[in-house]
Amino acid sequence: MLLQVNSIDVYYGSVQALKGVSLEVNEGEITSLIGSNGAGKSTLLKTISGLLKPASGSISFMGRRIDGLPPENIVSLGIAHVPEGRMIFPAFSVLDNLRIGAVSRFNSGKPKKEVLKEIEEDIERVFSLFPRLKERKNQLGWSLSGGEQQMLAVGRGLMARPKLLLLDEPSLGLAPYLVKEVFNIIKMINAQGTSIMVVEQNARMALKASHKAYVLETGEIVLSGPSSELLKSDQVRAIYLGAGVEQR
Amino acid sequence: MAPKNAKTFTLIAAGVVLLFLPKFIPSNYQMTVINLGGIYMILAAGLNVILGFTGLMSFTQVAFWGIGSYTAGLLAVEHGFPFLLTVPAAAFLTAAVGFLLGLPSLRKLKKFYLAVTTIGFVHITRLILENWTSLTRGADGLPGIPKPAIGPLRFDTMHEFYYITLISCFLLIWLTAVIKNSRVGRAMQAIREDDLAAEVMGVNVFKYKVLAFTISAFYGGLGGALYAHLVGYISPDIFTFEEAVTVLCMLMIGGSGLIAGPVVGATLLTVIPEWLRFMQEYNAIIYGAAVVVMAVYMPTGLVGLTQPYWRRLAVLFSSAKKNGGTG
Amino acid sequence: GAAQELAPAPKTFDVGFPVEMSGDAAITGDLQRKGTEMALEKINAEGGINGVPMRFIYEDTKGTNPGAISAFNKLLFSHNVIMSFATVRSTMVHALAPIIKENEVPAIFGGSAWSLSELEVPWMFRVRTDDRTVAQIMAKFMVEDLGHKKIAGLHDSDAFGTGGFVETAKALKEMYGIDVLTEQKYSTGTKDYTAQLLAIKNSGATCVFAWGTRLEDDAIILRQKAQLGLEVDFVGSASYSSTPIRDIAGDSVNGIYSAAGFTVANDDPLVQEYVKEFQAKYGELPDENSAWTYSSTLMLADALRKANVIQVVDGKPMMLPTKEAREAIRQALKGVRDFKTPMGSYTCDKWNNMLHEMPIIQIVDRKDKLIKVVSMEPELE
Amino acid sequence: MTHILETKAITKRFGGLVAVDSVDLQVSKGEIRGLIGPNGSGKSTLLNLISGVYPLDGGDIFLNGESVSKLSPHERAEKGIARTFQNNRLFPSLSILDNIMVGMHARTKSELHHTLFRHKMTKLEEESCRKKALDIMKFVGLKRGADYTAGALPHGERRLLEIARGLALEPQIILLDEPATGMNPAEKEWMIELTRNIRNTGITVILIEHNMRVVMEVCDRITVLNFGRKIAEGNPQEIQTNPEVIEAYLGEEEPEDVIAG
Amino acid sequence: MGFVYALSAMGIVLIYRTAGVVNFAQGSLVMLGAYVATSCIETLKLPMIGAIIAAVIIMAGVGAVFQRVAYYPLRYAGIIPVVISTIGVSVFLNNGVYVIWGTYPKFLPPIAGSGTITIFGTSIPLQNIAIALMAVALLFFQAYFFNKTWLGKKMQAVAQHQDTAALMGIKVSRMITFTFMYSTALAAIAGIFAGPIFFVSPGIAQILSKAFAASVVGGFGSVPGAVVGGIFVGLVETFGAYFISSAYRDAWAFGLLILFLLFRPQGIFGEPISEKV
Ligand SMILES: Nc1ncnc2c1ncn2[C@@H]1O[C@H](COP(=O)(O)OP(=O)(O)OP(=O)(O)O)[C@@H](O)[C@H]1O
Ligand SMILES: Nc1ncnc2c1ncn2[C@@H]1O[C@H](COP(=O)(O)OP(=O)(O)OP(=O)(O)O)[C@@H](O)[C@H]1O
Ligand SMILES: [Mg+2]
Ligand SMILES: [Mg+2]
């Protein structure tokens, strides 16, 4: 068990966004989280990465309690979060955005030189995944197109070489072929040993790519199970996969 | 219905208290403080239009104050204009200056560049008032500005002057409320929130920025004219950058963009230093600390505290986003 | 007055003093208060005003006119003082003048702008030499004693500096037909005077007179003058002889002349006694800031005693009603003649100026050296 | 046939990068025009050129045969060009109602002097604007109270409010930049319907969208950009089968997955 | 003179770049730096170099406290509440120094001595040369620091987006503290250089508006801009005062600033103002 979320409650002021949510992410697996707008998916990811504190319940990562830790410590433990809304550093170039994604790796205890070398290698890897970014590598973050920013956000998440990668709607605003590409990337890095938790509106692709899935509705987990089963479930098909598609 | 009645009742009660206030305040000293506070309130209300509604950081209010008080003072002393003429003349002339200043600077300058330009304008205005001796009598200042008289009515004492302050403050604050809820006011607020979005929605951003600047100059000029008649003597050394900062603090601590913001802020920042007088040489230190504390605990201003939680959050959110803007 | 209705006197006889306690002029305010407090000790040791101790109530002007107005109003209407001091800053005195006039309170002020006399407010008494007189003294000194004909002027562009410059230039012109070679101004708080000093250097002047308001400005001017190697006779207004200037301007202060209101180098025994006491009490040398408040407080106490504002009736101190008291004080102040103080001997002239002698000093080795003492011939009514 | 919107060889450069490269576009009145293309192909930039946010580096833009290239954004808005933004740009601390009423700015006239002297027009205008605003809210499907603060709305409703604000302008043409991103299937469904409803009121629509299901279902014609150039144009069937488009944009396999999303 | 503005402007620009804060207390911090340096010399009897180092260290500590009190609680609150709170701090400091150091101005000896050297017939105080060298050295240091070091990058990341920076594993509050310590240390250096010229009194705090002017001329947010802007403002006011009228000294600086901005609204080194839509 890599990550265990134990019946957490999360509030924004007096509004409760998560109600007793529990879930588990297994080592080496892709876990997907689906649900309508405002269900609390992003809130859950933010709570895991420490941006929000649960009012009650607990979260443990590799057997260690992490709820209450500040986000920077959680990152150092090996959880990277690609947040909703991209959050590119506007005044940094593409390269600097990628580099800054790797700063937590200096805490790993490896000699600095080695880390630096790895970082440059990883930048090349991200560029090979998203050639577009390479073309724009010295452009400042704010001036990138929406989709370019999205690619950069995902790339920056990879730069942390996390044990667990939290992806919040990684395919948002990407061209169709890139949507597929992003899921290929997800599968690929998973195959290389990174566990992944992905939030997606594109439920079909998410379910196809993942091992296990949870469905979140108004702050509560309403369904969970192996993705392949959920994909077949009538309930899921009706609500999240878009009934219209089936009729065409 | 009940809460609405309660609100009307409070407003009427407050009105009555304000109307008879001089009866309860025998001291000339306190009345002076109230009158000065009223003038600051007018300045802050003017700043509210430009900063609170339109979102442009400006320090010019104090320069407009100077221009207005000199216009009124010179017209009264040198040309014997009556009060009823000096005040509008000062207000409109200052508005014209504001308009002319706004034309070039608002077209291009953004954010902090504009703010520093207005700081420059404050320094330049003070220097001109001080050195253009043939017009302003220079650093000696201008004594002997008569107390207001409207026909047979005379306003010689602080207690009598109070009614002029009261009426002016009431009208001018009410005016900001009218502006805020009008088409023009909405356009200004849209500019504050996102000037580009406002522009593509059909708002002539430049025009309304200049208008807001002009209105704030009008307020500054009017406040200045009242000040000149209240004190009877003006000199260039009053209109300093420090005073500009004070007016800014008043608005922010009261709550910028909110109608009651200038009222609360000006009252508070006029009363607190007076109240701190007993601390003698420590008063300014404590005042500074108080400003920090208020900013820290009430970032949306005091009046902001009365707003619902989510609205406050949205306000904070929007200003935070601006802060994060492009590098 | 025979049938005046007296009321029991208060525990202390309170005099108001709006003074700079914060802002950048706090330094002079501080010195002024040292002067009054020292005088009070003396007065009260001698039984105060006919048995009632005298006390000062200070209110901060915050260095601004609106601040001074509310401070003054607070003194008048919250502390109900019978009379008050009214600051050294001429523009502030101007701002206070309408209140003084309207409320008919005797007020002693230090602002030196001649324009204040032209207000002709009978309640206002000036206890420092006015600019016009100082200007004439300066002009005379530069031309007659130092023998200069090529003279330049440097001044703060505030009311004090401008007024002083204009009066000096006028005196030079009227008395000796000399035109000032160049007029150089600066605003209070300027940090770099290179431009002004260079202009003076290039004008070929052999002597500069300077009217400055702020001590730090004066000190910077002197330092930069030394750095630029501007070797001319330098005659400064009173602030150029203040105590702290020697510490901060260092050796560049040496050699300058100043038409000081006061000097520790004066061997008048009253001055020497004052210097000794001041040093004992505060551990520093006094300068004009404290001397004028000290001297005028002594003078005031004397006038108050003579005015019989407080009388002892049946062993109890009784006081005149406010209005009468104020009139009596005014009369007493008007009647001051030849009252000896460390500032010289005060005589009230027809303009309500308390004229007194004026020393001219040179600073040598950072110490005052008395050059001469100029006496006045007051125009009496 | 006259086109409501026509661009002739419009070009935009950012430093060395040609973001929009000599694009010709002809949009007929009442059409829903899709604008697709890979990320960074210049779609948003094209909208920015049409709405006047960026100045042109070359070419000319016509609205109803009349050149608008020299007009400022607010003048173009007055002429009837409305738009939404790819990243929400609402007026966050204003209410829903005020957001929509700012949209009506160009269609109303009350200046300060009217307001101050309580001109009759002002009152009538305010009344009718308020009513219209409520109608528009209903039209786009915003169910919340009109006084709710825009900044506190969830994502989906913000997108609707932005469209509402654009419609308040009573535009001839509205430019929508990825209105359906981040929406769930049900909301996307509504987006499709809303787009059609807008067109049915006589407003021409230009729609940027990466979701093929939305694009294919709703657009009359589609223009495809790549590297700032127009590479294809046609009806949805033609575009879907155009090899160049497939290569540059749609990708080869499993189209149904992508389309479904 | 220009270089003193430059040094103060650098502090302002730095804290803007790394915390997004427009610091109205920078002038007062410069003043405090000068006071602290004076005390190190007078009271602690430290030698010049020791005093400078001590003052810089003490001021860095002040920066940490300043940050904690007046900025950290407001870090999400947007720019204007922070401006107000820095204004409060400046009022506090400008008057607070009287309590500790009394009302007399103090004299801080120039670190380069009071000698002058003669270049092309004009004598230039050594102190001015030292200031210029310092400004240029700091300029290069900062350029290196921000563009080449990880710490510099981390600080900038925090300025741009705090939450995201935290998600990258950057210790946000520590970076903010560093930033403030660094910029108050800069203020201390400016104060140490300004002290001998201005004398140590609250009057020093008034360089704030000139420092703002300098930072804007140079292009707000640009470190070389701050230096160039400072020199520009210094030169303009000296020449304006000399050739036109000394009374309008401040007016020349600001007048030209305004004119300049009308033609180049983004300052000398500023990015052309534009935003992504
Ligand atoms: N900063 C905030 N303040 C108050 N309420 C918030 C805040 N952020 C989110 N919420 C509320 O919390 C709930 C959950 O929001 P969350 O962003 O987690 O949803 P989500 O499932 O990620 O939705 P989406 O698919 O739109 O991203 C929503 O009702 C939302 O309105
Ligand atoms: N202000 C700018 N400065 C520099 N380059 C820019 C600027 N705006 C856009 N670009 C570049 O121009 C290209 C086109 O951008 P645009 O935003 O139009 O793309 P898009 O087609 O909308 O993409 P997406 O689908 O990702 O939103 C991109 O490569 C982008 O990086
Ligand atoms: Mg979400
Ligand atoms: Mg786009």
Side-chain angles (χ1 to χ4, degrees), chain B residues 27-29 32-33 36 127 130-131 139-140 143 156 227 231 233 235 237-238 243 273-274 277 280-281 283-284, chain C residues 21-22 33 58-60 62 64-67 69-71 73-74 77-78 91 94-95 98 157-159 162 185 187:
Chain B
S27 162
N28 225 338
Y29 154 65
T32 312
V33 172
L36 284 173
L127 286 172
E130 196 165 286
N131 290 296
D140 272 349
D156 286 341
Y227 175 80
V231 173
Y233 168 78
S235 58
D237 53 0
I238 313 169
E243 287 292 320
E274 288 302 325
R277 274 189 179 283
Q280 304 285 8
E281 47 271 81
N283 68 34
Chain C
M21 296 181 176
S22 56
R33 281 187 290 157
Y58 305 100
E59 285 293 346
D60 187 6
K62 306 187 158 87
T64 67
N65 290 2
I69 290 170
S70 48
N73 271 310
K74 178 152 194 197
F77 302 107
S78 282
T91 62
H94 260 301
S157 60
D158 71 348
T162 311
K185 314 188 213 179
S187 25

Side-chain angles (χ1 to χ4, degrees), chain E residues 134-153:
Chain E
M134 192 68 187
V136 173
L138 282 171
L139 177 64
F140 280 106
F141 173 69
Q142 287 202 21
Y144 167 79
F145 182 73
F146 279 125
N147 294 325
K148 296 279 179 271
T149 69
W150 284 88
L151 186 59
K153 291 275 180 222

Side-chain angles (χ1 to χ4, degrees), chain B residues 172-210:
Chain B
L172 291 169
I173 300 283
W174 172 79
L175 190 65
T176 57
V178 169
I179 293 174
K180 185 176 177 183
N181 295 312
S182 71
R183 168 175 177 268
V184 172
R186 266 194 305 275
M188 288 174 176
Q189 292 170 76
I191 293 169
R192 172 192 71 201
E193 303 276 301
D194 190 330
D195 56 353
L196 191 97
E199 175 89 23
V200 301
M201 289 334 296
V203 176
N204 186 340
V205 170
F206 175 60
K207 173 176 146 191
Y208 287 105
K209 278 184 179 175
V210 173

Side-chain angles (χ1 to χ4, degrees), chain A residues 55-172:
Chain A
S56 60
S58 66
I59 304 172
S60 25
F61 179 64
M62 303 197 300
R64 189 176 155 187
R65 279 283 290 260
I66 57 165
D67 52 289
L69 289 185
E72 55 266 26
N73 293 6
I74 295 179
V75 182
S76 305
L77 292 177
I79 300 184
H81 180 178
V82 175
E84 186 178 37
R86 295 147 196 177
M87 306 298 178
I88 297 303
F89 293 109
F92 277 166
S93 65
V94 168
L95 272 174
D96 278 344
N97 263 292
L98 289 176
R99 286 202 186 107
I100 206 82
V103 283
S104 62
R105 282 161 61 181
F106 288 105
N107 303 340
S108 65
K110 277 196 201 165
K112 197 170 164 187
K113 249 208 181 123
E114 206 169 304
V115 178
L116 282 174
K117 215 177 105 219
E118 282 177 14
I119 288 175
E120 293 311 312
E121 285 168 16
D122 285 2
I123 288 177
E124 283 312 313
R125 195 165 68 112
V126 170
F127 281 161
S128 67
L129 297 175
F130 300 111
R132 184 90 207 177
L133 290 182
K134 189 165 188 178
E135 293 164 28
R136 298 274 174 275
K137 67 180 176 193
N138 292 318
Q139 197 170 321
L140 295 187
W142 67 268
S143 68
L144 296 173
S145 86
E148 289 164 350
Q149 289 190 351
Q150 187 65 40
M151 298 174 216
L152 182 53
V154 174
R156 190 179 59 185
L158 299 179
M159 290 300 296
R161 281 209 187 168
K163 297 192 181 69
L164 172 63
L165 181 63
L166 309 175
L167 292 167
D168 201 341
E169 308 201 21
S171 71
L172 200 82

Side-chain angles (χ1 to χ4, degrees), chain C residues 10-131:
Chain C
K11 282 211 179 62
T12 53
F13 182 88
D14 292 344
V15 177
F17 197 166
V19 65
E20 279 80 37
M21 296 181 176
S22 56
D24 60 356
I27 171 173
T28 47
D30 193 41
L31 290 169
Q32 288 165 35
R33 281 187 290 157
K34 283 180 173 159
T36 49
E37 287 303 309
M38 208 172 114
L40 277 188
E41 259 174 40
K42 203 167 198 139
I43 292 164
N44 292 334
E46 291 165 5
I49 314 297
N50 303 343
V52 175
M54 188 171 158
R55 185 175 70 157
F56 271 97
I57 299 179
Y58 305 100
E59 285 293 346
D60 187 6
T61 63
K62 306 187 158 87
T64 67
N65 290 2
I69 290 170
S70 48
F72 195 68
N73 271 310
K74 178 152 194 197
L75 290 165
L76 284 193
F77 302 107
S78 282
H79 296 297
N80 297 313
V81 296
I82 300 282
M83 66 164 303
S84 181
F85 275 45
T87 92
V88 269
R89 301 250 290 248
S90 294
T91 62
M92 260 184 212
V93 183
H94 260 301
L96 297 179
I99 310 176
I100 295 171
K101 191 170 164 188
E102 188 187 314
N103 295 289
E104 310 196 322
V105 260
I108 289 175
F109 68 94
S112 57
W114 176 252
S115 55
L116 289 166
S117 293
E118 287 169 350
L119 296 175
E120 300 197 46
V121 179
W123 300 92
M124 292 169 52
F125 293 87
R126 188 203 314 263
V127 294
R128 284 171 72 233
T129 315
D130 64 273
D131 299 343

